[in-house]
Amino acid sequence: MAHMPKNAAAPSVPTRDRLLDAFEDLLVEGGERSATLDAVAAAAAVSKGGLLYHFASKDALVDGVLARLDALALQDAENIRTAPAGPVDYLIRTSVHTGSPLDRAYIAGSRLAQGRDPRAMQVLADIRRRWLSVIEEAVHDPDTAQAIMLISDGLYVNSSLAENELAPQDPTDAAMARLIALIGRLLPGS
Amino acid sequence: MAHMPKNAAAPSVPTRDRLLDAFEDLLVEGGERSATLDAVAAAAAVSKGGLLYHFASKDALVDGVLARLDALALQDAENIRTAPAGPVDYLIRTSVHTGSPLDRAYIAGSRLAQGRDPRAMQVLADIRRRWLSVIEEAVHDPDTAQAIMLISDGLYVNSSLAENELAPQDPTDAAMARLIALIGRLLPGS
DNA sequence: ACAACTATACCGTCTAGCCGGTACAGTTAC
DNA sequence: GTAACTGTACCGGCTAGACGGTATAGTTGT
């Protein structure tokens, strides 16, 4: 058990992933400023030296979350495409914060983008482009697809801005169902 | 020329406002982290002592931009209500970045909110609530009004994410006109 | 006299990153 | 089989610089 955690009865979650999780959580809950190396190390129950062993710099940590976000989003594009209730329904319902790993990673990425990190902005742009093309494929009209993407983005910022009830917060509630019905009116066929 | 800018043939802009402008610009262009007291003072061509003469703390500076944002947004709500082409047209067209004072102030406020500043989150929430009620007044249907707000929010994040052409960037271009036409389909009357 | 500054020095704290050390499993050489 | 050594995974103390804020003495136009 050379490279395993000392106390591991089970492999548990690798330290590297725990550090990434901690970094994400701090970004999501406290914004960029609160996600310091010390805070990340503490949240992951690792010393600062241990953090820097896995990620040589804060930049490396950023690259780490961004890489994971990209991988998660790539998988998600497939989920959207093959969703039983259809891509639009799936996209809209998952645009509010669900606490899924992708969700957390996406918000973390947004925080980094708001801090003007060009890598984060690039990754987010790529993800959104991917989503848009899936929706375009489904609705067969670029303008409609774009409008749907905009609503999805709007839902995201709303649930990001926390505790306000301007928009549906829960993917399963009635307001969400009404919103999806409304979006139906945008579709070319009627 | 004591309290006037040295070079002022005209009263020009008062130092206090130049400091607020500088703070906003730094927030918009470099995110929260780059907007330090030293940077703000330098950008406004004022000494650090001069900055702290007008704003005793960074918190006071934040309060300053937030107060100005709130005032600007209050005025804007009236502009939306009385827009010749109608509230929805106006709201949507001004949801992309135009470089207007309100626009810059709003983005600056968003940066602060992303840094989890509760005051900023509160001010933004109030502004959005105001906009929503103006739109509700105009379209006579809460769900439709909400969907329109979401599209507006979506446009805003898109133009915030810079240099991507997923959504219309220019309030006068054809894509914007098509988007507004599409939104027309959401309206209860047809 | 006073408001509106400039300039400079300073303080405590926070932050990123560095470095020397430790523990220990596995490898090699005899 | 055991001593010497290697690589991995960490610990925790440290430092330089940035940051928010204080302080203070001087300057300038009215």
Side-chain angles (χ1 to χ4, degrees):
Chain A
M1 295 277 191
H3 51 293
M4 287 297 179
K6 299 182 215 259
N7 54 347
S12 180
V13 183
T15 301
R16 211 192 109 96
D17 291 331
R18 272 177 23 238
L19 287 165
L20 252 19
D21 288 343
F23 187 39
E24 264 181 15
D25 281 343
L26 285 164
L27 283 171
V28 171
E29 272 147 56
E32 209 199 346
R33 285 198 77 154
S34 74
T36 67
L37 295 187
D38 283 312
V40 171
V46 167
S47 71
K48 196 170 179 181
L51 191 173
L52 287 162
Y53 170 77
H54 289 284
F55 299 98
S57 67
K58 199 169 192 183
D59 261 20
L61 208 45
V62 170
D63 285 337
V65 288
L66 254 22
R68 210 166 64 164
L69 166 59
D70 203 52
L72 249 17
L74 206 59
Q75 241 186 302
D76 186 60
E78 202 46 40
N79 290 346
I80 298 178
R81 196 172 283 120
T82 61
V88 175
D89 185 282
Y90 183 96
L91 177 77
I92 295 298
R93 283 187 197 276
T94 57
S95 292
V96 296
H97 296 191
T98 57
S100 70
L102 170 60
D103 200 29
R104 284 170 58 258
Y106 190 86
I107 302 168
S110 304
R111 301 267 192 251
L112 293 170
Q114 228 83 22
R116 315 309 289 158
D117 187 306
R119 292 162 298 169
M121 291 167 78
Q122 186 60 52
V123 169
L124 288 193
D126 288 349
I127 291 172
R128 295 178 24 73
R129 217 181 307 276
R130 219 137 58 198
W131 282 339
L132 178 61
S133 58
V134 174
I135 298 298
E136 256 171 7
E137 220 175 85
V139 303
H140 305 297
D141 178 70
D143 290 332
T144 306
Q146 188 190 88
I148 290 169
M149 273 300 292
L150 290 175
I151 291 175
S152 164
D153 290 339
L155 282 169
Y156 234 107
V157 290
N158 258 278
S159 69
S160 210
L161 240 44
E163 326 326 324
N164 58 2
E165 339 75 54
L166 288 184
Q169 298 287 316
D170 178 357
T172 62
D173 74 6
M176 181 62 87
R178 292 203 305 278
L179 176 63
I180 290 170
L182 242 189
I183 291 170
R185 306 177 62 159
L186 293 173
L187 269 34
S190 169
Chain B
M1 299 267 193
H3 53 293
M4 289 297 180
K6 293 184 219 259
N7 53 348
S12 180
V13 183
T15 301
R16 210 191 112 94
D17 290 331
R18 273 178 23 239
L19 286 165
L20 252 19
D21 289 342
F23 187 38
E24 264 180 17
D25 281 343
L26 285 165
L27 283 171
V28 171
E29 272 146 56
E32 208 200 347
R33 290 199 70 160
S34 74
T36 67
L37 293 187
D38 284 313
V40 171
V46 166
S47 70
K48 193 175 176 181
L51 192 173
L52 288 160
Y53 174 78
H54 288 285
F55 299 98
S57 69
K58 199 171 192 183
D59 260 21
L61 209 45
V62 170
D63 285 337
V65 288
L66 253 24
R68 208 165 68 165
L69 166 58
D70 202 52
L72 249 18
L74 206 57
Q75 242 186 302
D76 187 60
E78 202 46 40
N79 290 345
I80 299 177
R81 197 172 280 119
T82 62
V88 175
D89 185 282
Y90 183 96
L91 177 77
I92 295 298
R93 284 187 197 277
T94 57
S95 292
V96 297
H97 295 190
T98 57
S100 70
L102 171 60
D103 201 29
R104 285 170 56 257
Y106 190 86
I107 303 167
S110 305
R111 302 271 192 249
L112 260 12
Q114 230 82 22
R116 316 308 289 160
D117 185 307
R119 292 163 298 170
M121 291 167 79
Q122 185 59 53
V123 168
L124 288 192
D126 287 350
I127 290 172
R128 293 177 28 72
R129 217 180 308 274
R130 218 136 59 198
W131 282 338
L132 178 61
S133 58
V134 174
I135 298 298
E136 255 172 6
E137 219 176 86
V139 303
H140 305 297
D141 179 69
D143 289 333
T144 306
Q146 188 190 87
I148 291 170
M149 272 301 291
L150 290 176
I151 290 176
S152 165
D153 289 340
L155 281 170
Y156 165 79
V157 288
N158 258 278
S159 69
S160 205
L161 243 42
E163 327 320 329
N164 58 2
E165 339 75 52
L166 288 187
Q169 297 287 316
D170 179 355
T172 62
D173 76 6
M176 181 60 87
R178 292 202 306 278
L179 176 62
I180 291 171
L182 242 188
I183 290 171
R185 305 179 63 160
L186 292 174
L187 269 34
S190 171

